[in-house]
Amino acid sequence: MPVPAAHTRRVALSVTTVGILAATLNSSILLISLPAIFEGLGLNPLAPANISYLLWMLMGYLLVTAVLVVTFGRLGDQYGRAKLFNLGFLIFTLASVACALVPNTGSAGALELIALRIVQGVGGAMLTANSTAIITDAFPADRRGFALGVNQVAAVGGSFAGLVVGGLLSEWHWRAVFWVSVPIGVWGTWMGYRTLHDKARDNRRKVAIDWWGNLTFGIGLIAILIAITYGLQPYGGHTMGWTSPTVLAGLIGGIALLIVFGLVEVRVSEPMIDLKLFRIRAFAAGQLVNVLASMARGGLQFMLIIWLQGIWLPLHGYDFASTPLWAGIYMLPLTIGFLVAGPASGALSDRFGARAFSTGGLLLTAATFGGLMAIPADFDYALFALLLALNGIGMGLMSAPNSAAIMNSVPASERGAASGVRATGMNAGMVLSMGGFFTLMAIGLASRLPASLYDGLTRLGITPDAASTIARTPPVGTLFAAFLGDNPIQALVSQVDPQQLQPGSGVDVATLTGRSFFPHLLADPFRHGLAIAFGVSIAMLLIAAVASLLRGEKYVHAEAPGIPESSGIPESSGMAKSSGISESHRTADQHHGAGSGLAREAAAPDGIPGQDVAYEDALEQRAG
């Protein structure tokens, strides 16, 4: 008996949504659980050499996903999207088990964990590259916004949920942070191989791997990130290493390789990123919005975690050891705002297109960044929670409609590649944003933190010589200590002059090592760095809003029999209104309420026994 169409769609949406949830959960779960991981591995958060471990534990997973996702999308177009997706779930699950069973501690354990996170990222890249294309294949044009909205809510919601899940599990044991992905992976692998199957396809035309494109893009991005990592560390008597020949060579060489990548892509027959797709205005605008929005918000969670763990929570009576968990809990309004706006905007964009929702969401997000810059370091939580919720709503308004617009703009044969390009832009933007936000914050701290440290320490009785030495400590060490929920003052004084902490030294030790001294000391330099980082984010969001506004009207690439694939795209502009098939869907859709997307999909008939009822016919039968 043929499988009903509505059931096939629901299964595809369920399995791919769980897959993308698992992949993005692991992109952020370490943000909160790193303090427990560092403690479990026996790593000192103040040691400059350990900064690279911290960054690569976070960025290695996203980096390999950004590099491989386009290639896996193209391989999915050739060999089967479900086949690649299911293999990705299997690799992801096995790597999660291996991460939880890392045998060593110290630097060896950190390197093992980084390597296994990269393997986990390979599986995540397979999931990410093919989930959107599978959904686009399964759903008709007038329902893709809703379906992709659910998928995007899982994607971004997973990155938010990882903060709370990581905080809760790390309170129990750091290895539980990796074990949590195992049952999800086992279920997804089993369900995927059982239910997701590719249709017969023409395999006579083989996909050639663009090795030069993959190498130049991957090595170029890695070189830039390595340069950023070492640029944050001391060099030649300076608190930061931006004058280091290694750092300069990495930055210049990485940028040069990315330029070479662009030249390679216009010359090879099977490019990693098909630049011809960018002739479609809806696709080009959507991708520009995707990259800029990812770069603007990619480091937001870092800044909020440092703000909460290093300043606000200690000032409000929380021990430094418990701040990682509570930071995840107090950031929940961000998740809730996104979960509210994501599906609704996706369903509405099926009727009205992406332009209004995406542009409005970007402007709202930019406004919330401005609001976060304006409030004091010791803020009123009600106002902070409101700004976080509005930020989540803004991102939700933009994300699903923009993704649907990107996927609707390309022919069916290019959906895997288009999905890969979208995921690459998002992940590469987030990776660069993480390094960029840390860099901007470190620059801001370097200009003000030394003076604050010296004044604060001498005021409590620390000798001028000891205070001067501590003030020259690289600010990035203090930054990472705050990020890891640690109070570094006692450790710094002990390293420089432990006698200062002894009774009778004249130092107010209780205040020096208490909950409020370090947060007050960090507050002003932090806000200075925050203003620099968020100012850059606002600029990128405003540019993205202009690109979204200029994307044109709603456009769906023609796919119906008898309609040429290029019929909806005038040669003069590369963009047009929706084809006739999408306009008819839009007309029929006007009879349904904007909030009825989920109810309509749930109520779609599963078909008559022995007969597969098409979704469009089912809608017409219901209307009749």
Side-chain angles (χ1 to χ4, degrees):
M1 181 182 298
V3 179
H7 177 73
T8 300
R9 287 195 309 275
R10 292 168 193 158
V11 169
L13 181 60
S14 299
V15 178
T16 55
T17 297
V18 171
I20 202 68
L21 176 66
T24 56
L25 186 79
N26 277 270
S27 70
S28 66
I29 196 168
L30 263 64
L31 281 171
I32 289 292
S33 54
L34 272 176
I37 293 173
F38 262 55
E39 183 179 357
L41 294 176
L43 295 172
N44 178 10
L46 284 174
N50 291 338
I51 293 171
S52 58
Y53 295 144
L54 183 146
L55 286 176
W56 282 100
M57 282 182 193
L58 296 174
M59 297 193 301
Y61 179 91
L62 288 173
L63 176 64
V64 73
T65 304
V67 172
L68 295 178
V69 72
V70 175
T71 296
F72 286 147
R74 293 186 61 80
L75 290 174
D77 288 339
Q78 173 65 38
Y79 298 109
R81 292 156 189 165
K83 185 181 297 183
L84 265 290
F85 180 88
N86 295 335
L87 178 61
F89 238 141
L90 178 61
I91 293 172
F92 176 85
T93 305
L94 294 176
S96 298
V97 174
C99 285
L101 296 175
V102 165
N104 291 310
T105 58
S107 297
L111 291 173
E112 290 170 355
L113 196 55
I114 290 169
L116 290 171
R117 284 276 291 172
I118 289 174
V119 176
Q120 194 182 42
V122 172
M126 291 182 175
L127 296 174
T128 304
N130 292 283
S131 63
T132 307
I134 290 172
I135 290 174
T136 307
D137 287 341
F139 282 78
D142 72 322
R143 301 296 296 132
R144 284 180 196 148
F146 159 75
L148 290 170
V150 173
N151 193 258
Q152 287 298 297
V153 164
V156 183
S159 67
F160 293 151
L163 302 176
V164 179
V165 173
L168 290 171
L169 293 177
S170 63
E171 288 286 306
W172 176 29
H173 197 282
W174 69 268
R175 295 184 188 271
V177 173
F178 301 103
W179 280 119
V180 71
S181 299
V182 175
I184 300 174
V186 170
W187 180 88
T189 304
W190 175 72
M191 281 295 294
Y193 278 109
R194 179 170 169 263
T195 60
L196 294 181
H197 305 288
D198 295 296
K199 297 179 181 178
R201 62 184 66 238
D202 183 4
N203 290 324
R204 290 175 295 180
R205 180 176 176 271
K206 301 296 183 181
V207 171
I209 301 299
D210 177 16
W211 294 111
W212 284 111
N214 278 273
L215 287 173
T216 52
F217 181 78
I219 296 175
L221 195 57
I222 289 170
I224 291 174
L225 293 176
I226 290 175
I228 291 174
T229 300
Y230 284 98
L232 292 171
Q233 300 180 27
Y235 170 78
H238 301 285
T239 57
M240 301 181 74
W242 296 108
T243 58
S244 164
T246 302
V247 172
L248 294 175
L251 289 174
I252 296 171
I255 293 172
L257 282 172
L258 293 181
I259 293 173
V260 172
F261 166 73
L263 297 175
V264 168
E265 296 306 278
V266 298
R267 286 170 170 77
V268 297
S269 57
E270 296 284 349
M272 172 184 166
I273 295 179
D274 187 358
L275 299 180
K276 293 178 181 178
L277 291 175
F278 287 88
R279 296 176 183 174
I280 305 172
R281 195 168 87 192
F283 181 86
Q287 290 293 358
L288 181 59
V289 169
N290 181 42
V291 172
L292 289 174
S294 297
M295 292 183 68
R297 72 173 190 260
L300 173 65
Q301 291 175 345
F302 279 106
M303 299 301 103
L304 296 180
I305 289 170
I306 294 170
W307 198 345
L308 289 169
Q309 292 185 182
I311 300 175
W312 193 84
L313 286 169
L315 289 178
H316 287 257
Y318 293 86
D319 292 327
F320 278 92
S322 66
T323 54
L325 170 62
W326 286 103
I329 293 173
Y330 277 110
M331 287 171 62
L332 276 175
L334 189 67
T335 307
I336 295 171
F338 185 87
L339 294 178
V340 169
S345 64
L348 287 168
S349 70
D350 286 329
R351 295 176 58 186
F352 304 110
R355 181 163 57 180
F357 299 99
S358 180
T359 305
L362 290 165
L363 293 175
L364 177 59
T365 305
T368 61
F369 273 97
L372 290 170
M373 290 169 58
I375 63 176
D378 189 10
F379 50 77
D380 175 65
Y381 181 72
L383 178 58
F384 182 76
L386 176 63
L387 289 171
L388 291 191
L390 291 175
N391 188 284
I393 290 172
M395 288 190 285
L397 288 173
M398 180 279 300
S399 185
N402 193 64
S403 296
I406 291 172
M407 298 304 296
N408 281 336
S409 67
V410 300
S413 61
E414 297 284 351
R415 284 175 186 160
S419 175
V421 173
R422 183 193 65 82
T424 292
M426 181 174 67
N427 289 332
M430 292 187 69
V431 168
L432 292 173
S433 179
M434 287 181 184
F437 266 59
F438 267 127
T439 300
L440 293 173
M441 178 58 70
I443 291 172
L445 287 180
S447 66
R448 297 199 179 187
L449 185 59
S452 295
L453 269 173
Y454 182 84
D455 292 341
L457 292 171
T458 54
R459 190 171 59 250
L460 292 182
I462 299 292
T463 63
D465 288 343
S468 179
T469 302
I470 293 171
R472 290 196 299 269
T473 302
V476 70
T478 307
L479 178 65
F480 280 113
F483 177 70
L484 292 173
D486 186 34
N487 184 351
I489 297 299
Q490 184 171 358
L492 289 172
V493 175
S494 297
Q495 292 172 8
V496 174
D497 187 357
Q499 296 299 321
Q500 298 282 297
L501 300 176
Q502 298 300 318
S505 64
V507 176
D508 186 352
V509 177
T511 302
L512 186 73
T513 59
R515 294 173 183 167
S516 61
F517 177 70
F518 176 61
H520 279 304
L521 203 67
L522 186 63
D524 180 66
F526 173 80
R527 283 189 50 77
H528 179 64
L530 187 79
I532 296 173
F534 280 6
V536 174
S537 289
I538 290 173
M540 287 190 288
L541 288 168
L542 293 178
I543 295 172
V546 173
S548 178
L549 189 64
L550 298 177
R551 75 171 72 231
E553 298 181 22
K554 181 181 177 184
Y555 170 66
V556 179
H557 199 286
E559 301 168 26
I563 301 177
E565 276 199 340
S566 60
S567 63
I569 311 173
E571 294 181 0
S572 60
S573 66
M575 150 64 195
K577 291 184 179 181
S578 306
S579 61
I581 182 172
S582 63
E583 289 291 343
S584 65
H585 287 167
R586 194 193 315 174
T587 302
D589 204 34
Q590 302 299 323
H591 300 293
H592 302 275
S596 63
L598 182 60
R600 289 176 56 208
E601 184 59 33
D606 281 342
I608 303 170
Q611 180 181 1
D612 187 4
V613 179
Y615 184 81
E616 293 83 355
D617 293 338
L619 285 180
E620 292 177 2
Q621 291 169 10
R622 285 185 175 277

